[in-house]
Amino acid sequence: MRSGFVVRATAVFSLPLSMLFGGVLVVFAQQRTMTGAKPGGLTVKRIFAEPSLSGRLTRGIAWAPDSKRLSYIETKGRGKVAKTELWAMEVATGERSLLLSAEKLESALPAPPSRQPQATGTGRQAPFEYQWAPGGDALLLEVPHALVWFDLKSQTARVLVNGRENLNDAKISPDGNYVSFVRNHNLWLVSIADGKEHALTTGGSEEVRKGELDWVYPEELGILTGYWWAPDSSAIAYLEMDERMVPQFPLIDFESFTGEAELQRYPVPGGANPVVRVLVAPVAGGEARPMDLGVETDMYIPRVNWLPDSKHLAIQRLNRTQTILDLLLADTTTGKSTTLLSDKDAYWINVSDDLRFLKDGKRFLWSSERSGYRHLYLYDFSVKEPLQLTRGDWEVSHVDAVDEAKGVVYFTAMEKSPLERHLYRVGLDGSSFTRITTEDGTHCVNFAPDRAIYVNTYSNASTPPRQDLYRRDGKKLATLNENKVAELDEYHLSPVEFITIKSHDGMPLNCSVIKPADFDPAKKYPVLVYIYGGPHVQVVVNAWTGSFFLWHQLMAQMGYIIFSLDNRGSAGRGHVFEEPIHYRFGAQELSDQRDGAQWLKGQTYVDAERIGIWGWGYGGHMTLHAMFEAPEIFKVGFAGAPVTDWHFYDAIYTERYIGLLPMHDDSYEESTPTENAGNLKGKLLIAHGTSDENVHYSNTLALINDLIEAGKYAEVMAFPGRGHEVNDPPAQRLLWDRVTKFFLDNL
């Protein structure tokens, strides 16, 4: 499950946008004046207006193949007068030059077909993307319907593909001769030399996708593509996803007079999952060969990697209970496979992107949580036991780069603090463990191909992210984007305090506190608890969290203390910290949140009778647990897009934590907060998009019915046509106007 209100791994997120219920529109119109705090303070309108108070990060950063320069997209102006250009920075000098002017870019890209959707109130047409050619002499320009080859030396453009159908997941072959892409559920190739197209696969459809992912694999397994080029460009390995048995969920088009709906393949717990195969298709032509994945088809293929020899594939196979992850080595000429290793876990396996084969093809880097914390291991085909490279009661977040020439692995980890993300290095022999980044906060790095330089995107809890260029030893070379937002100084933001409290059973729990700027310890303040609480997410982080942070600052300016606690089950402190939620959502999480509330009640400046809570997605789910199961503590709650019954949610996520049906049906019932809806005593506000593709709107409808049967009332804001994370400013402002006044009126 994802939620835009949280920080995952090293990424920087902003508060997403949310949704509306027509029945309360008149009330909202009367409440628009409640968006301000003190005179000169933050307002909802300003938080969700342009220019963003988070600034603007440089987007589209890409390294040239020779590592001597990096390119980036720059947009000047806003709205209809905005002009987008492509620029480059020389690494050695920091000098910047125009790579592709707005005029050339506009003339190079074909106009969209007339039937293609234009910008609307609920989203904008995707901007262009680009890739460097392997030789560094050209760029591939991409828009949804076309692919364009731009020669940098001659400054000329050639349209490779242009049509009415959308093109997805374009890639340049390693030898620079072809561009591959997905169209109409099949894989296609176009020759860069003459622009001739041909289909690499046939028979693809919405039911059987070839080289194309479904909804649930990217969402819950984090896989980003459905096909992979061999290093020598001789073949492409791809996933075939047979979804014929997967149920279709209708997302109703609220603007349709005839009840039209988009049908989404959505596997639910206990139901059918897509049947996935791995095939290898030769580029020169011929039948695609399936790889041997074993006799069981009810399983997952979360990762596929080519070995350097272009003759073997490394395929990760995960069983449906997600307790056994096998790494298979498949011979692409015969399809036969053997098992290189198996990771087993009594709870569940979290997959990663850390597999790296060294050039000799006989050694590979692997990460595992077998110790209770994710660490790095070096495997050798000729040695029985792997060499453990990192160790300790802390997490490796992910591998950033491997420099074989220097025998070094660069990786991001939480060794310094689970609240932060830093860049580290360690030798391939396990020696010379070193932290490279030094500033307290969150660092996200992007290494050049030669691993000598990296772009560091850095932020902390009170400072928007900036982007700088660093040498691999940590020496700063240049600033790419300072992203200084001078306007923030006008609002006199309160600092974020990080503290640790102990649960009733002695577990240290990380918390954050924001107090009003004019805080007086002799006064009593209401408290607003922000919660997520679920797997793979932290809310207590030393990182900029955008509009989410700014809205909390607004509430602090209105006299609220903002409190967050990362309970057991959340990310950043190892698999061992996640495990207590196994087979039961809501129990351990709420127990830890109760302990946080007890700590709050022990503070002389807290009004114990005025504690509210809010969250989105899993945080909305936890808000319901809090309001229904701890009404004596939490008096007011706002639940955004909440899961209300885990039978409604997708199979991969839900079965990973609660187990398979029907054998664990009791766990599903116990994890469902609406079982206790009749206990509601306080005020509850719910917001949900009717086209939420992640947490379906049926969750909220089921909750409304349970409340009706229990004789209870909650205010519901439905937002027509919006998804899980809605990004249209009118809906944002309307929602947060209402949420702000809801807490002011009731807390």
Side-chain angles (χ1 to χ4, degrees), residues 496-538:
V496 180
E497 302 174 28
F498 294 107
I499 61 173
T500 300
I501 67 173
K502 282 194 174 182
S503 67
H504 68 275
D505 57 350
M507 173 64 71
L509 300 172
N510 294 324
C511 309
S512 64
V513 180
I514 300 173
K515 297 174 181 175
D518 57 356
F519 175 74
D520 181 351
K523 294 183 178 179
K524 294 278 189 180
Y525 293 89
V527 178
L528 185 57
V529 175
Y530 169 63
I531 185 172
Y532 186 83
H536 304 295
V537 170
Q538 289 174 266

Side-chain angles (χ1 to χ4, degrees), residues 73-371:
I73 297 170
E74 187 167 293
T75 300
K76 298 178 180 178
R78 299 181 186 279
K80 294 181 179 179
V81 298
K83 289 192 174 183
T84 299
E85 300 173 330
L86 199 59
W87 284 73
M89 173 188 277
E90 298 292 332
V91 169
T93 63
E95 183 180 348
R96 304 180 191 229
S97 60
L98 184 62
L99 200 60
L100 191 55
S101 69
E103 292 73 23
K104 285 186 177 178
L105 185 60
E106 187 175 348
S107 63
L109 296 176
S114 57
R115 71 173 181 82
Q116 186 135 341
Q118 302 297 313
T120 68
T122 57
R124 293 180 177 273
Q125 188 175 325
F128 93 98
E129 298 178 357
Y130 74 98
Q131 300 176 40
W132 281 89
D137 56 348
L139 300 169
L140 175 67
L141 309 179
E142 309 167 49
V143 287
H145 65 288
L147 301 173
V148 176
W149 194 255
F150 189 86
D151 187 279
L152 289 170
K153 186 175 181 180
S154 65
Q155 292 286 293
T156 58
R158 287 188 296 114
V159 176
L160 297 179
V161 183
N162 185 20
R164 303 185 71 83
E165 298 90 359
N166 274 4
L167 315 173
N168 298 300
D169 202 7
K171 299 176 187 178
I172 306 172
S173 62
D175 61 10
N177 291 331
Y178 292 96
V179 175
S180 54
F181 58 94
V182 176
R183 181 174 62 197
N184 293 330
H185 313 295
N186 278 299
L187 272 173
W188 290 75
L189 298 179
V190 59
S191 168
I192 293 171
D194 57 20
K196 291 183 179 179
E197 299 178 31
H198 72 272
L200 191 69
T201 66
T202 57
S205 66
E206 183 276 329
E207 292 183 325
V208 182
R209 302 166 184 262
K210 300 192 177 185
E212 179 186 50
L213 297 172
D214 65 350
W215 174 84
V216 74
Y217 258 55
E219 175 68 25
E220 305 301 5
L221 294 174
I223 185 171
L224 302 178
T225 183
Y227 75 94
W228 303 265
W229 277 95
D232 66 0
S233 302
S234 63
I236 289 179
Y238 66 92
L239 297 184
E240 179 188 87
M241 308 195 76
D242 185 342
E243 298 200 276
R244 284 175 289 185
M245 299 302 292
V246 177
Q248 292 180 293
F249 193 94
L251 300 175
I252 304 297
D253 179 0
F254 75 96
E255 293 183 315
S256 167
F257 297 120
T258 56
E260 293 178 14
E262 176 186 348
L263 295 177
Q264 176 195 20
R265 298 282 179 180
Y266 195 94
V268 293
N273 273 325
V275 176
V276 180
R277 297 197 301 163
V278 179
L279 297 97
V280 176
V283 170
E287 288 293 319
R289 184 182 298 277
M291 300 296 104
D292 179 14
L293 304 178
V295 296
E296 180 60 71
T297 60
D298 195 9
M299 47 79 184
Y300 305 112
I301 303 296
R303 299 290 184 272
V304 176
N305 298 79
W306 281 95
L307 270 65
D309 64 3
S310 296
K311 296 178 181 178
H312 294 86
L313 278 180
I315 302 170
Q316 296 183 41
R317 180 182 64 194
L318 185 65
N319 65 338
R320 179 145 182 174
T321 58
Q322 300 179 62
T323 55
I324 303 174
L325 179 65
D326 297 316
L327 180 62
L328 307 179
L329 181 65
D331 185 327
T332 60
T333 59
T334 65
K336 293 182 179 179
S337 64
T338 57
T339 302
L340 288 178
L341 65 86
S342 292
D343 262 0
K344 299 179 181 180
D345 194 279
Y347 298 92
W348 68 83
I349 296 278
N350 295 311
V351 297
S352 79
D353 290 304
D354 298 333
L355 177 61
R356 300 287 192 282
F357 278 90
L358 303 190
K359 292 178 182 177
D360 60 17
K362 300 183 183 301
R363 293 179 296 160
F364 61 92
L365 196 67
W366 180 258
S367 72
S368 173
E369 295 179 309
R370 65 191 61 163
S371 67

